[in-house]
Amino acid sequence: MTKDFFTNTIATHATVATIKQILSNPQQLLRWDPEVSTVNNDANGFWLQRSGSALNQREHIAIGSQANQIFYRSTGGRIAYDLIFTLVAEDGQTVIQESFYLVGENRLKLPLTLLAPIAKHAFNINLTNLAQLAETSSFSEGGV
């Protein structure tokens, strides 16, 4: 069972290639998600640990890609989810759409309707951080 939970969108001056490069490298999470404290790669993806309170303190994430999408599948935490980043070049910018889908049953004790706006806000902050990091990376690489 997959359930659409929320979607965030942001535009950035960074290129699609730069954003793909950042999203495809798990170690980059340390630069755009301030709650992530460790990232450890394994053969099937990576394990990450968060500091502070989070839906998943520790989780395993597998990364996939197709055309202009990067997929994160999270398992091993209190909730399993898919996070899909869709990248579209538009008017000299890249629009990043981040879609969060719940996968299967969750192990939280709170109703998901209460968590949706909180999670959406937290992920939107991280999406903003990602866009800023990508713009900085583009400038340092001589890009747009």
Side-chain angles (χ1 to χ4, degrees):
M1 175 179 89
T2 302
K3 181 182 182 212
D4 184 2
F5 202 52
F6 64 80
T7 298
N8 290 317
T9 304
I10 194 167
T12 176
H13 291 288
T15 64
V16 169
T18 297
I19 297 164
K20 280 178 139 178
Q21 183 178 18
I22 292 168
L23 289 172
S24 298
N25 181 346
Q27 294 300 321
Q28 292 294 319
L29 272 164
L30 295 165
R31 297 180 66 197
W32 60 273
D33 186 339
E35 289 187 345
V36 173
S37 56
T38 60
V39 175
N40 295 308
N41 295 341
D42 70 14
N44 300 313
F46 61 95
W47 284 95
L48 66 82
Q49 181 74 38
R50 287 190 175 82
S51 58
S53 62
L55 291 174
N56 290 337
Q57 283 296 128
R58 179 172 160 77
E59 63 190 307
H60 186 267
I61 298 181
I63 299 176
S65 65
Q66 174 182 339
N68 282 341
Q69 289 186 321
I70 304 288
F71 311 92
Y72 286 11
R73 160 106 356 139
S74 171
T75 57
R78 293 187 291 176
I79 64 169
Y81 63 88
D82 286 338
L83 188 61
I84 301 172
F85 297 92
T86 303
L87 312 173
V88 178
E90 187 175 286
D91 297 328
Q93 295 186 316
T94 300
V95 176
I96 308 168
Q97 178 177 300
E98 169 189 68
S99 300
F100 187 102
Y101 299 92
L102 293 173
V103 179
E105 298 298 319
N106 74 75
R107 299 190 321 236
L108 298 173
K109 299 189 189 311
L110 295 171
L112 293 176
T113 54
L114 295 176
L115 283 171
I118 297 166
K120 179 179 172 77
H121 178 72
F123 275 78
N124 195 53
I125 290 170
N126 291 339
L127 185 61
T128 300
N129 292 342
L130 169 64
Q132 291 172 346
L133 173 63
E135 286 184 1
T136 302
S137 296
S138 290
F139 286 119
S140 67
E141 295 169 5
V144 178

